[in-house]
Each structure stands twice: as structure tokens, then as C-alpha cells.
Amino acid sequence: MWGYLSLLPAFLALWGTAGVWTVFALAVENGTVNLTKGFPYISICGSYPPQSCIFSQLLNMGAAMAAWICILRYHQLRDWGVGRRPNQLILWTGLLCALGTSIVGNFQEKNQKPTHLVGAFLSFFVGILYFWLQLFFCWRMKSLPQPGAPWIGPLRLGLCSVCSILIVAMAVLHAVSLRSVSAACEWAVTMLLFALFGLFAVDFSGLHGCTISLRPCRGPGTLAASPGPLQIQLSQAV
């Protein structure tokens, strides 16, 4: 029996996929993008009202869900025995990816292009790094649990590999002004990243729930009841 936490990654994947294609449909419908002139980037579709408002809200909520998934994954890897420093490195790359997603949604390309490009870098380049780091440490630590079917690991490796190739192709094609092909690569990368986040549903399937508590910080001159570091305890499904 899968716990409710496994629904969060699956919902993020469905939310993001349905959301960006809805923004695309609205942009085509109201004529803010013209498909006869080439295939548009996602950001172009979300640069003009009214779909720009939907685009911002979509990515803000998606970023919040992604950040929560990264925090849950951090505590899960901690419980599995991944070292503190590598686990923190994984966590921070995931949080930067979530931050970049929010930046992309709030700083549209037509309004604030430099900031938008920073957000896109964090979303795509740092985002795929987040998944590569997990694959690397899962490969190094043979004792880590591998939830799900045996093909889940190779599937993740394949998705990360294709996504990395497409990210490089997207940047190169944009640099040589092949914008339509570059935009198609961007859409494919976005779908793959959503799929990689969605696969965390398999890892979270063994979690029954989580408990958030504040641990008192007991140090010299500190009151025993003072709030300390935030602790999240994951409970395994039985």
C-alpha cells in the first residue's frame, strides 16, 4: 500500500506537464505566438497576458512542491545512510532548481531577460545535476535501498542521459539561431525533468507519512524550551 507522500511527486509531474501545455494552447489560441513563424520557447508562451499570470502561478506552485520533495528526499537519504555533506549538496542543488523555476515564472523573458536566464540555468542545468548526483551516490553506495522494479534505475539513467544531451543541444542550437529546434529541445527537457521528479513516487512508496518537530537547542546560556533545528521524521509504511 503506497503512502500519501508518493502522490506528491506524481502530482507535480502531472501539474507541470498539464500546466505548460495549457499555457501553450492559450498562447496559440489568442495569437501571442505564431506557429507559422516557428515553434516557440515555453517562456515565450508565458510572456504575455493572460497566460503569463497562469504561467507564474503554475511555476510558483510547482517550485514549492519541488522544494518539499527535495526536503523529503534529503531526510530519506539521511535515513538510508548517505553522508551529511553529499546529502546537503544534493539538497541544495534541488532547492536551487526549485528557486530557478520560480524565477522563470516571475521574471518573464520579455520583461527581465537576464534574471529570467539565470532562473532557466538553475532550472535546467542545476536541475539535471540534482538527479545525476543522486544516481552517482546510489551507484557508489551499493547498500542503498532500491525501491520499485529493477528497471527503475536504468530508466532514471536513460532519462538523465537524454536530458543532458538535449540541454547541451538546446544551448548550441540557440547559439546558432536554430530557435525552433532549440525550443523543441527545451520542451523535451522540461517533460523529462517532470518525469524524473515524478519517479520519486516510487521512492516515497514505502513512506507512510512524516512528522515535523522543533528540537530544543541545548547550549550554554540557551533556554531548554528555545526552538532549535527543524526535524522531519519519516515513518515507513507497514
Side-chain angles (χ1 to χ4, degrees):
M1 185 69 180
W2 284 25
Y4 70 88
L5 289 178
S6 61
L7 298 177
L8 180 60
F11 182 73
L12 171 60
L14 293 174
W15 170 268
T17 302
V20 293
W21 285 110
T22 299
V23 169
F24 171 81
L26 288 172
V28 173
E29 177 65 23
N30 61 32
T32 51
V33 298
N34 188 348
L35 294 181
T36 62
K37 295 182 178 180
F39 194 70
Y41 289 99
I42 300 174
S43 301
I44 296 297
C45 296
S47 291
Y48 303 95
Q51 62 268 15
S52 60
C53 305
I54 300 172
F55 188 62
S56 297
Q57 184 68 6
L58 163 75
L59 293 191
N60 283 335
M61 293 184 66
M65 286 187 281
W68 184 235
I69 290 170
C70 292
I71 292 170
L72 290 174
R73 183 62 168 168
Y74 167 81
H75 287 276
Q76 185 180 50
L77 292 177
R78 180 204 61 188
D79 293 344
W80 284 353
V82 175
R84 180 171 172 268
R85 288 191 176 182
N87 201 13
Q88 286 184 341
L89 175 61
I90 293 172
L91 172 64
W92 281 110
T93 55
L95 293 179
L96 286 174
C97 171
L99 174 63
T101 302
S102 181
I103 291 174
V104 167
N106 291 290
F107 296 86
Q108 288 87 11
E109 183 179 11
K110 292 297 182 181
N111 300 324
Q112 188 59 249
K113 187 173 183 178
T115 309
H116 179 87
L117 291 178
V118 171
F121 174 82
L122 294 175
S123 299
F124 292 134
F125 289 88
V126 179
I128 193 59
L129 176 61
Y130 173 69
F131 293 102
W132 274 119
L133 286 172
Q134 296 192 64
L135 282 174
F136 174 75
F137 286 109
C138 286
W139 173 75
R140 285 287 302 271
M141 300 179 65
K142 307 294 185 182
S143 61
L144 287 182
Q146 302 292 335
W151 49 266
I152 293 294
L155 175 61
R156 278 198 175 103
L157 177 61
L159 291 177
C160 285
S161 300
V162 174
C163 191
S164 300
I165 293 170
L166 288 174
I167 288 175
V168 174
M170 175 184 70
V172 172
L173 291 168
H174 180 81
V176 297
S177 297
L178 294 175
R179 302 298 170 83
S180 291
V181 185
S182 176
C185 290
E186 182 194 46
W187 281 89
V189 167
T190 302
M191 297 302 105
L192 290 173
L193 288 175
F194 283 142
L196 285 166
F197 269 108
L199 282 176
F200 280 135
V202 177
D203 299 277
F204 293 173
S205 63
L207 300 177
H208 181 265
C210 68
T211 302
I212 301 177
S213 61
L214 292 175
R215 185 178 62 187
C217 183
R218 303 181 184 277
T222 305
L223 295 177
S226 299
L230 180 67
Q231 298 293 311
I232 297 181
Q233 296 178 341
L234 302 177
S235 54
Q236 300 292 326
V238 293

